[in-house]
Amino acid sequence: TASYETIRVERKGRSALITLDHPKALNALNLQVMDEVVTAAEALDRDQGTGCIVLTGSDRAFAAGADIKEMRPQGYMDMYLSDWFSAWDRFAQVRTPTIAAVAGHALGGGCELAMMCDILLAADTAVFGQPEIRLGVIPGIGGSQRLTRAIGKAKAMDLCLTGRTMDADEAERAGLVSRIIPAADLLTEAVTVAETVAAMSAPVAMMAKEAVNRAFETTLTEGIRFERRLFHAVFATADQKEGMTAFTEKRPPVFTHR
Ligand code: CO8
């Protein structure tokens, strides 16, 4: 596998773990981190042996935002011509299901990166926020859009305009995270969830992900039509036959992932 300087990549059966490992700046997301995370995630996505990807940070920080020191001297033309941070869109385009396992700070770009993942698991130590306004800027990796879709206008405005943070409990109540896990168990639990997802039919899991994500892009009528087309399509898979046969034979299914 490729060698990375700011992340670690491990395989565990059909699931994979990407750990942000840039502790000096609390995993601040600079251009190198972006490049490495996107490269690693796309490589795992291309590998049909990968059924789920977990993205995590350290106990102290998932990521404390985009790298402020790297951004500080940039001008508009630098940002515009390099299309600063646009490569993160490629992480969001990964078709394999992704899980963010968040402990500690998930601020600014860190919160935005966690929100790009399909399942967001929070340690009880997790802290979320879009504090960019305190730096004289606004969210730039999708925060104003994904946070608003996830938790609604009231809290999204509150967080983006005051820069205040919210703890794991508030994040769960608001619907940003699906589960809160004691910090000591976060990674074990995240890997268990990943293994559960990775044991499903890979194409069917991709279709489920695609169908849910469509809800954010389209009308209800079109979304339901999209879902129905995919639903019909799963009947072309060996895994549909296996799943339904295993049920009637009262045994666990063994998916071949196609
Ligand atoms: N960027 C660069 N360095 C950082 C960042 C960051 N986002 N966050 C922390 N660090 C560094 C600190 O500077 C410090 O370095 P040093 O030891 O060299 O001084 C080290 O990490 C440890 O941090 P602290 O000493 O501050 O640790 P504390 O535990 O006291 O505080 C906090 C932790 C509360 C997380 C604090 O570090 C903090 O407030 N960090 C900044 C959080 C923030 O504002 N994040 C938003 C960044 S802006 C952003 O994400 C915008 C994205 C949009 C860009 C769009 C472009 C198109």
Side-chain angles (χ1 to χ4, degrees):
T1 56
S3 66
Y4 299 110
E5 289 174 353
T6 65
I7 63 170
R8 283 180 281 121
V9 181
E10 295 156 68
R11 304 293 311 250
K12 300 183 186 218
R14 287 187 49 79
S15 55
L17 177 65
I18 302 177
T19 306
L20 301 169
D21 186 17
H22 177 43
K24 277 197 293 280
L26 299 179
N27 289 331
L29 304 170
N30 59 30
L31 295 179
Q32 185 183 0
V33 177
M34 174 177 72
D35 187 54
E36 293 189 358
V37 171
V38 170
T39 302
E42 286 186 332
L44 291 167
D45 197 29
R46 277 193 301 274
D47 175 358
Q48 293 188 8
T50 312
C52 192
I53 301 168
V54 177
L55 178 64
T56 196
S58 68
D59 292 347
R60 234 183 119 195
F62 177 74
D67 191 323
I68 297 165
K69 292 161 193 171
E70 186 182 56
M71 289 185 293
R72 192 186 61 82
Q74 308 296 332
Y76 173 69
M77 271 304 139
D78 306 313
M79 286 279 166
Y80 181 80
L81 291 174
S82 68
D83 204 4
W84 197 273
F85 285 159
S86 60
W88 282 120
D89 293 345
R90 287 163 42 204
F91 181 80
Q93 292 302 320
V94 163
R95 298 172 77 207
T96 306
T98 54
I99 298 175
V102 176
H105 305 286
L107 301 177
C111 185
E112 294 171 303
L113 179 56
M115 290 191 292
M116 281 181 217
C117 295
D118 303 317
I119 299 178
L120 212 169
L121 303 176
D124 48 14
T125 58
V127 175
F128 299 90
Q130 299 291 161
E132 287 88 346
I133 197 155
R134 297 188 181 192
L135 300 164
V137 298
I138 69 169
I141 323 177
S144 65
Q145 304 304 299
R146 288 199 177 90
L147 188 67
T148 308
R149 282 166 164 78
I151 69 176
K153 175 180 166 178
K155 271 186 192 285
M157 281 290 191
D158 183 354
L159 292 171
C160 290
L161 289 177
T162 68
R164 81 167 174 91
T165 57
M166 63 181 174
D167 64 15
D169 281 327
E170 184 179 357
E172 191 192 29
R173 280 199 309 278
L176 183 65
V177 314
S178 64
R179 312 182 196 182
I180 302 179
I181 296 158
D185 305 330
L186 177 69
L187 212 51
T188 316
E189 189 65 26
V191 169
T192 302
V193 177
E195 282 170 353
T196 303
V197 174
M200 306 301 176
S201 165
V204 176
M206 282 182 191
M207 288 186 212
K209 165 173 178 164
E210 209 181 348
V212 172
N213 279 335
R214 195 65 165 221
F216 295 103
E217 304 284 356
T218 192
T219 63
L220 183 60
T221 303
E222 285 305 316
I224 286 172
R225 187 196 305 274
F226 184 78
E227 179 194 75
R228 182 120 338 117
R229 292 290 172 263
L230 289 180
F231 176 72
H232 294 160
V234 299
F235 285 80
T237 64
D239 289 333
Q240 173 268 327
K241 296 288 173 291
E242 167 60 11
M244 293 192 169
T245 302
F247 176 82
T248 49
E249 292 176 357
K250 301 187 188 300
R251 61 170 176 83
V254 182
F255 294 121
T256 55
H257 308 295
R258 45 212 316 199

